[in-house]
Short mmCIF file of all heavy atoms in Angstrom, two decimals:
data_model
loop_
_atom_site.label_atom_id
_atom_site.label_comp_id
_atom_site.label_asym_id
_atom_site.label_seq_id
_atom_site.Cartn_x
_atom_site.Cartn_y
_atom_site.Cartn_z
N ASP C 94 414.78 106.16 117.00
CA ASP C 94 413.96 105.54 115.96
C ASP C 94 412.48 105.65 116.36
O ASP C 94 411.74 104.67 116.30
CB ASP C 94 414.40 104.07 115.80
CG ASP C 94 413.70 103.38 114.65
OD1 ASP C 94 413.20 104.08 113.74
OD2 ASP C 94 413.65 102.13 114.66
N TYR C 97 411.10 103.06 118.76
CA TYR C 97 411.54 101.67 118.57
C TYR C 97 412.91 101.43 119.20
O TYR C 97 413.60 100.46 118.88
CB TYR C 97 411.50 101.27 117.09
CG TYR C 97 410.10 100.90 116.66
CD1 TYR C 97 409.26 101.83 116.04
CD2 TYR C 97 409.59 99.63 116.92
CE1 TYR C 97 407.95 101.49 115.69
CE2 TYR C 97 408.30 99.29 116.57
CZ TYR C 97 407.49 100.22 115.95
OH TYR C 97 406.20 99.89 115.62
N HIS C 137 415.94 94.32 120.20
CA HIS C 137 416.95 95.27 120.66
C HIS C 137 416.32 96.19 121.69
O HIS C 137 415.10 96.27 121.78
CB HIS C 137 417.47 96.09 119.47
CG HIS C 137 416.36 96.60 118.60
ND1 HIS C 137 415.89 95.88 117.52
CD2 HIS C 137 415.59 97.71 118.66
CE1 HIS C 137 414.88 96.55 116.94
NE2 HIS C 137 414.67 97.66 117.61
N PHE C 177 420.29 100.10 109.47
CA PHE C 177 420.15 101.53 109.71
C PHE C 177 421.47 102.28 109.84
O PHE C 177 421.48 103.50 109.90
CB PHE C 177 419.36 101.77 111.03
CG PHE C 177 417.88 101.43 110.96
CD1 PHE C 177 417.29 100.95 109.80
CD2 PHE C 177 417.07 101.63 112.08
CE1 PHE C 177 415.94 100.66 109.76
CE2 PHE C 177 415.71 101.35 112.04
CZ PHE C 177 415.15 100.85 110.88
N PHE C 198 420.01 97.13 113.80
CA PHE C 198 419.41 98.41 113.41
C PHE C 198 420.45 99.50 113.74
O PHE C 198 421.61 99.33 113.39
CB PHE C 198 418.04 98.57 114.08
CG PHE C 198 417.05 97.53 113.57
CD1 PHE C 198 416.90 96.29 114.19
CD2 PHE C 198 416.32 97.78 112.42
CE1 PHE C 198 416.02 95.34 113.68
CE2 PHE C 198 415.44 96.82 111.91
CZ PHE C 198 415.30 95.60 112.54
N GLN C 202 420.53 101.05 118.99
CA GLN C 202 419.58 99.94 119.18
C GLN C 202 420.34 98.61 119.29
O GLN C 202 420.24 97.76 118.41
CB GLN C 202 418.61 99.89 118.01
CG GLN C 202 417.70 101.13 117.91
CD GLN C 202 416.91 101.18 116.62
OE1 GLN C 202 417.47 101.28 115.54
NE2 GLN C 202 415.59 101.11 116.70
N ARG C 232 402.37 92.89 119.37
CA ARG C 232 402.99 92.81 118.05
C ARG C 232 404.50 92.76 118.29
O ARG C 232 405.08 93.66 118.90
CB ARG C 232 402.60 94.03 117.22
CG ARG C 232 403.22 94.06 115.82
CD ARG C 232 404.20 95.21 115.70
NE ARG C 232 404.71 95.35 114.35
CZ ARG C 232 405.84 96.00 114.08
NH1 ARG C 232 406.57 96.56 115.04
NH2 ARG C 232 406.27 96.09 112.86
N ASP C 234 407.97 93.16 117.42
CA ASP C 234 408.74 93.91 116.45
C ASP C 234 410.04 93.19 116.09
O ASP C 234 410.79 92.80 116.99
CB ASP C 234 409.09 95.27 117.07
CG ASP C 234 409.91 96.13 116.15
OD1 ASP C 234 409.35 96.62 115.17
OD2 ASP C 234 411.12 96.29 116.41
N GLU C 288 406.19 90.72 113.49
CA GLU C 288 406.54 91.38 112.23
C GLU C 288 407.40 90.42 111.41
O GLU C 288 408.38 89.87 111.90
CB GLU C 288 407.34 92.64 112.55
CG GLU C 288 407.71 93.39 111.30
CD GLU C 288 408.70 94.53 111.54
OE1 GLU C 288 409.49 94.43 112.50
OE2 GLU C 288 408.68 95.47 110.78
N HIS C 354 403.41 101.92 109.38
CA HIS C 354 404.29 103.06 109.66
C HIS C 354 405.65 102.95 108.98
O HIS C 354 406.44 103.88 109.05
CB HIS C 354 404.46 103.18 111.17
CG HIS C 354 405.18 102.00 111.73
ND1 HIS C 354 404.64 100.72 111.74
CD2 HIS C 354 406.43 101.87 112.24
CE1 HIS C 354 405.52 99.88 112.26
NE2 HIS C 354 406.61 100.55 112.56
N ASP C 355 405.96 101.80 108.40
CA ASP C 355 407.25 101.62 107.72
C ASP C 355 407.11 101.74 106.21
O ASP C 355 408.07 101.45 105.47
CB ASP C 355 407.85 100.24 108.05
CG ASP C 355 408.28 100.15 109.49
OD1 ASP C 355 408.67 101.18 110.07
OD2 ASP C 355 408.23 99.03 110.05
N ARG C 441 409.48 106.11 104.58
CA ARG C 441 408.36 105.90 105.51
C ARG C 441 407.85 107.19 106.14
O ARG C 441 406.76 107.21 106.69
CB ARG C 441 408.71 104.82 106.54
CG ARG C 441 409.98 105.07 107.31
CD ARG C 441 410.39 103.83 108.10
NE ARG C 441 411.44 104.14 109.05
CZ ARG C 441 411.83 103.36 110.03
NH1 ARG C 441 411.26 102.18 110.19
NH2 ARG C 441 412.79 103.72 110.85
N ARG C 445 404.04 109.11 107.72
CA ARG C 445 404.12 109.58 109.11
C ARG C 445 403.79 111.06 109.25
O ARG C 445 403.95 111.62 110.34
CB ARG C 445 405.53 109.32 109.65
CG ARG C 445 405.85 107.85 109.73
CD ARG C 445 407.26 107.61 110.22
NE ARG C 445 407.51 106.17 110.40
CZ ARG C 445 408.60 105.67 110.92
NH1 ARG C 445 409.58 106.45 111.31
NH2 ARG C 445 408.73 104.36 111.05
C1 LIG O 601 410.47 97.37 112.88
C2 LIG O 601 409.60 98.59 113.04
C3 LIG O 601 410.34 99.78 112.52
C4 LIG O 601 411.61 99.96 113.32
C5 LIG O 601 412.44 98.68 113.31
C6 LIG O 601 413.50 98.71 114.35
O1 LIG O 601 410.74 97.11 111.56
O2 LIG O 601 408.39 98.40 112.41
O3 LIG O 601 409.57 100.96 112.56
O4 LIG O 601 412.36 101.01 112.79
O5 LIG O 601 411.65 97.55 113.61
O6 LIG O 601 412.92 98.60 115.61
#
Side-chain angles (χ1 to χ4, degrees):
D94 185 21
Y97 279 96
H137 46 270
F177 288 1
F198 294 91
Q202 295 170 297
R232 179 246 185 200
D234 179 73
E288 181 190 28
H354 65 293
D355 291 329
R441 54 191 192 167
R445 296 178 175 186

